[in-house]
Amino acid sequence: MDQSQRSSSLTAVSTSRAYQFHPARAAIVNLFDLYLGRSNRLKHEDSAREPPNKAQKRVLAINRELPPRNEQFLLDFEQIQNQFSDHDQLRAVTESVLISLVVQCSGHVPRAEFLLFALRSLCSIGYINWDTFLPSLLSSISSAEVSMGQGSQAAPTVSTTNLSQSGVLPSSNPVPNSSTFQSSNPASPLPSVHGISSPAQSSIDPSSCTALSPIKSSDLSGTGLPSAVRVNSFLRNNAISSLRQLCCKIIVSGLKFDLKPVTHADIFSHMLNWMVNWDQRQQGMEESENMKSWRPDKALIEWLHSCLDVVWLLVEENKCRVPFYELLRSGLQFIDNIPDDEALFTLILEIHRRRDMMAMHMQMLDQHLHSPTFGTQRIFSQTMQNISGEAVASLRYSPITYPSVLGEPLHGEDIASAIQRGTRDWERAMRCIRHALRTTPSPDWWKRVLLVAPGYRSSAQGLSPGAVFTSEMICEATIDRIFELLKLTNSEIHCWQEWLVFSDIFFFLMKSGCIDFADFVAKLFSRVTEGGQHVLRTNHVTWLFAQIIRVELVMSALNSDARKVETTRKIISFHREDKNADPNNPQSILLDFISSCQNLRIWSLNTTTREYLNSEQLQKGKQIDEWWRQASKGDRMVDYMNMDDKSIGMFWVVSYTMAQPACETVMNWLTSAGAPELSSAQNLQTNERIMVMREVSPLPMSLLSGFSMNLCSKLAYQMEESLFSGQAVPSIALAETYTRLLLLAPHSLFRSHFNHLAQRNPSLLSRPGVTLLVLEILNYRLLPLYRYQGKSKALMYDVTKIISALKGKRGDHRVFRLAENLCMNLIFSLRDFFFVKREGKGPTEFTETLNRLAVVTLAILIKTRGIADADHLLYLQTMLEQTMATSQHTWSEKTLRYFPPVLREVLIGRIDKRGVAIQAWQQAETTVINQCNQLLSPSADPTYVMTYISHSFPQHKQYLCAGAWILMQGHPESINCTTLARVLREFSPEEVTANIYTMVDVLLHHIQIEPQHGHSTQDILLKVCANLSFFVWTQELLPLDILLLAFIDRDDDPNALRIVISLLDRQELQQRVKLYCISRGSPEHWLHSVVFKRNELQKALGNHLSWKDRYPVFFDDIAARLLPVIPLIVYRLIENDAVDQADRVLAMYSPFLAYHPLRFTFVRDILAYFYSHLPNKLIVRILYVLDISKIPFSESFPQHISSAGPVMCPPMDYFATLLLGLVNNVIPSLQTSKSGTAGDASSSSMRPSHNKAPGTNPPVATSAPESQKAFYQIQDPGTYAQLVLETAVIELLSLPVSAGQIVSSLVQIVVNIQPTLIQSSNNLHVAPSSMGQGSALPTSPSGGSTDSLNAGRSNTSVSGINTPNFVSRSGYTCQQLSSLMIQACGLLLAQLPQEFHGQLYLEASRIIKETWWLSDATRSLGELNSAVGYSLMDPTWAAQDNTSTAIGNTVALLHSLFSNLPQEWLEGAHVIIKHLRPVTSVAMLRIVFRIIGPLLPKLANAHSLFCKTLSSLLSVMVDVFGKNSQTSIPVEAAEIADLIDFLHHVVHYEGQGGPVVASSKPRQEVLAIIGRALENLRPDVQHLLSHLKPDTTSSIYAATHPKLVQNPA
């Protein structure tokens, strides 16, 4: 209760006490006693003695005086009234007395009847204020019931405390999947209602509550009840029934008047509490057989019916005192023990019916099929409080949500735990996990969505809000995947790579505690014994257990768990002997010996389980020992580069039995060449020498892939020791092998290096060379791995700390420039919105260069991928202010025109201060030139260098390079370059950067004014490029990457890009890049098997960066620093319409860009960023940046982009095949979880054969499916599913046809997908009706068959698809495939730029408007409603009946699109409404609500976008139900009751920011929006929505809204 409510409550209590002593009170009490037949004398005698028997009591009653006639009451009351002048106080005293008498006399029927008469009479003369009387009455009754409950078990259900807690009730016993009411202690949604205190409470005599009924205990002497407790309970319950019955009668009388919304809410709340807790009145009764067979008595049923009467009066549509929606969210339908009463059951059925209709509008079509595709980066929808900006940014949407009974998307640990095996939600979860096990999303994803197994969970561990999968789900899905791989193996499909990928995830899941090991073994054993014996033919399962047997949780289960013996025996039972194993195949050798390895390990773990081990396998271990002795005999070194297959297999075996010796052997190999001395850098005046390991060949991936996970972990640890803590500089082979290990097992071995090394040794990163080596490994080897792990942002912040510490420090140019280059790559690698500072406060710690790149990257991200969370739009302005706080840079108009509008609008107003900068230069030029003469002339005093460095003003230092440029006059030899180089090295890195940017501005300014002196621009540019080449290549004074970036940032100067092109054309650079490519070998560095050759430091980095440094390079090179720069140059050339130059740059540098760690992303993003602005020739050139042979392009794609003839849209078959590829590789499979149907081993796409037509054979794969490539083979974009999806995006962006043509083709396929697939499957001679249903799909409800319905069916196939057996290529039935194709199409369109979405909205609107029956005036409202319901059926259900409709498929496509769109792009969805308006029928109104309605829950955290969407829906409602609207068929407002309920619910959902709880309230601004819309609606519709107005006199929400109550104006 807030402060104002608390103070008003205290005032009411003090006032009620004052009424007790009011002089009129005694007279009023006496008057009522007279008419009630309760004279003072009789009351006194009654209280003085207890009548000894019934006869005496009856005699006493006969002698009582008869009360006056009722008609006399008002006259007598008016006499009292005339005695007092303050009628308000008299009224209050009268109400107080009446309330007291109601509580005391409710059990006496004649007295109760008189009290009702007196109430009506007093009301007729205005002496009853129902708005104060009824809340006080209810509160007093609650207090009385509490008093009656004292001494027995508590009765909280009717107390005022509980009323304030439950309010408009949450469910007291919710069903498991209906966790709509999540609060364990929910507050009332109407707290001010229940904060009202009764002025009559203190006047009630508690003792009077014990004699509410004339029935005495002796009356019950013959009932057989065993105890006084039962008697008292009966009396108390009877008294409560009478009291509630009388209260309801009074309320019914009061409802005839216009009460305040607060009063209605209070009444409604109490009625619901009474009904929900109707069976908890039997407090104190003993549990007995009689109690169990107890049935409600007549009195209880009577007051229950009275409550129902009151509730119906409150929610009746004519008055709408309380919106019916309050019943929907009340939980009344979930009461645990529904009485056998038809009236209550009728209400509950109505609640269920309307709730289901309302929930439908909250959910998108085919909601039950939506599972993650990992195709879109999703941000968590609700902003978390007290979390840093970066922490919020790293959160994601839950990959799967479970709809509540109110249609709300729910997720979280408590929801996941409630999902029952075998339910539809369980199957959706299993689809999701199986999909993840095949497509291998990052460990970061797994950690967010998985729950730790209960047995491994600490008591201190709280709930996991993002977790949606339980350990039972993971366990079952993991077993399914094992059986899937076993079937592939048994089919003689080579799938060793798939086993390796799976073992990495399996190890990670087991180590993370997400799978209970003992439980997993038991379930796997059960699956095998129940029918999987024929599947388990190989030792792959034993090999999996050998991989994890050293995990701490596993060893604990085998050592100390109570089930250790049973678990061990089951593990041993999985051993299989392969008599036909190939002795020369490494995998066969490993699998042949793995049982022995496991037996040896178990033997060493526990003595109690040794008796169950296989003695033959233990003896076989001697062969392993013998081979190892021979291999490591004497001083002979194992030559890993020349091992035969048998030796490789045996070494793999050794890695499972003797990991430590194997580790030492590998380390010995890598250090076997010794550590010779290396001379110091040539420019150091010292004889200091350092030790560097000699180079050997790095271990090949083919060998590393078979190592046990235990050996890999040991190797990684030992390699880190040698790399970062060793005395000698490590070899490149050691660093390369280390990175190969990390790439090989991205789930099991990943570590965040800066944190990991700091934990090992806090001083490690301060050692000379360690930071350099870490930065090189990260920049040139592990960037894609960090992005895959979702750690790019965290790494960016870590690197920023290094940059921040060094940018003002003199001399540390090498570390700084490497860190800056790494940060460039990291910024470019981001695929979703990012915070420039971890905590989001203050200016960035970026350099000037990084600040500029951050803005450009943000533009690319927003335009090509959108902003996933609307909250980030609110931060955008702050982010730009942080980024540009220390920068004066402005972007050219040509660059800004391609920026997304949201960014362009902010930046276009920045003032270009270059003119001011040039003026500052001109003012300082004389001084600067004078200083440069003293410093750089050939005869300069050498001692002046230190004077200049120490004492020159900072504003003059930034002009050093510009001054040197002026002095050169085109003759570089005219200045002392050695001195200039020394001074630049002594500068801080950021001072050098400032010099470069200033020099570029001065240089471009001079180029503009030189022609005025008679010089040609061409000659000037040639001289400039020659001088710059002297700076960069001859003297190596300046970093080329920063220089190029400085020039392209001045692209509004016509000469800047010409200079850039000239520099890129220079032979010095061409040769340097060519040399880099030759020395590095293949871009796929993990295939490099020869000895690496280390470049000399000075040759690799040049004089400026290598100055005092002596630590040798590993992978770094001055040419490699250009990898992030070349793409930016291409961007800038295209922005300036220099298409030919962009084509030439790409042609020159495509071989070099092959080394770009994220070139696939570069191609995808540049095509999306400049979509519809790129000529076909340039598109083809951009595509050739990729390694075309390794990208899964469609077979016909090259023909469509390189056709020399007229441009034509590809045939339908092309688009259908594209979608089919997504269904097979990206959309989660619909396979079942039973072992017998866990997948078709012969299907190359890993898809099940759901009831395939007889006589058809799916294509048989001869090699491992592409979807299981190792991570290092597809580092960009990271997973094969992502690669297939992004490849489809690239194809559509590259087609030489418009977005409209592409969208039209895709929509045509989707709209007519079912008849097309049926026709295709009919080629197999199978009737559509014979198609089976997959077990993962819900059963279809029966469809209608009216003429109007059939008219809406989609019954024309797509003419362009001529592919026979199209269905069989997918492995699905046509019913299943049609829905999955719709999902795939929506997902694909969501990845494309917004131009495609606009075309889709236009096309969808056209299809809907062209549906003839929507405008058929001859159809009745019932027919149209039936047609709408039929057409909007889930396509999955409709497909099973072969009754898909064009509208249904179109809406499903839109919903699939919405599910995958970032929130920012959802704003464009309003165009659909624009195209569909004017809406003139309820049928079209329902379609609009069905399309847009489910967007509103998705926008709960995007307030402005939510309001805009809600306004659009309301405008359509005004079209149909406006005051001046004319619909073809008259429609009552009651016909859209479900839409009314939906609007109520969705505004509560948005007000809560998530699932509605009891305390949820609409926002004030939302109520204002609806209030404005209501002004244009018909009165009958206004009436139903009246509570959604900001009017405190008509809305229960406004009347209890804190802001509106405080500011009623």
Side-chain angles (χ1 to χ4, degrees), residues 1438-1456:
Q1440 293 182 46
D1441 297 330
N1442 296 334
T1443 56
S1444 293
T1445 64
I1447 290 181
N1449 289 350
T1450 302
V1451 175
L1453 173 61
L1454 291 171
H1455 284 175
S1456 178

Side-chain angles (χ1 to χ4, degrees), residues 661-766:
C663 177
E664 293 171 359
T665 305
V666 172
M667 292 304 298
N668 289 339
W669 161 265
L670 292 171
T671 58
S672 60
E677 291 183 335
L678 179 72
S679 298
S680 60
Q682 296 178 357
N683 54 354
L684 286 180
Q685 305 300 317
T686 176
N687 293 322
E688 187 179 4
R689 307 174 75 84
I690 57 176
M691 304 294 291
V692 182
M693 290 184 186
R694 291 183 187 272
E695 289 298 331
V696 295
S697 299
L699 268 64
M701 279 291 198
S702 57
L703 175 63
L704 292 171
S705 63
F707 285 0
S708 70
M709 202 60 69
N710 184 38
L711 174 57
C712 290
S713 299
K714 288 181 177 293
L715 274 176
Y717 187 87
Q718 289 296 324
M719 288 179 179
E720 286 172 348
E721 191 71 21
S722 295
L723 285 168
F724 309 120
S725 302
Q727 297 301 314
V729 175
S731 63
I732 299 177
L734 181 60
E736 175 65 28
T737 305
Y738 172 70
T739 60
R740 290 180 183 183
L741 270 179
L742 299 184
L743 294 174
L744 196 62
H747 287 76
S748 304
L749 297 181
F750 176 78
R751 64 280 319 274
S752 184
H753 281 80
F754 285 106
N755 294 335
H756 176 68
L757 295 178
Q759 289 173 1
R760 288 190 62 165
N761 185 350
S763 63
L764 204 57
L765 290 171
S766 62

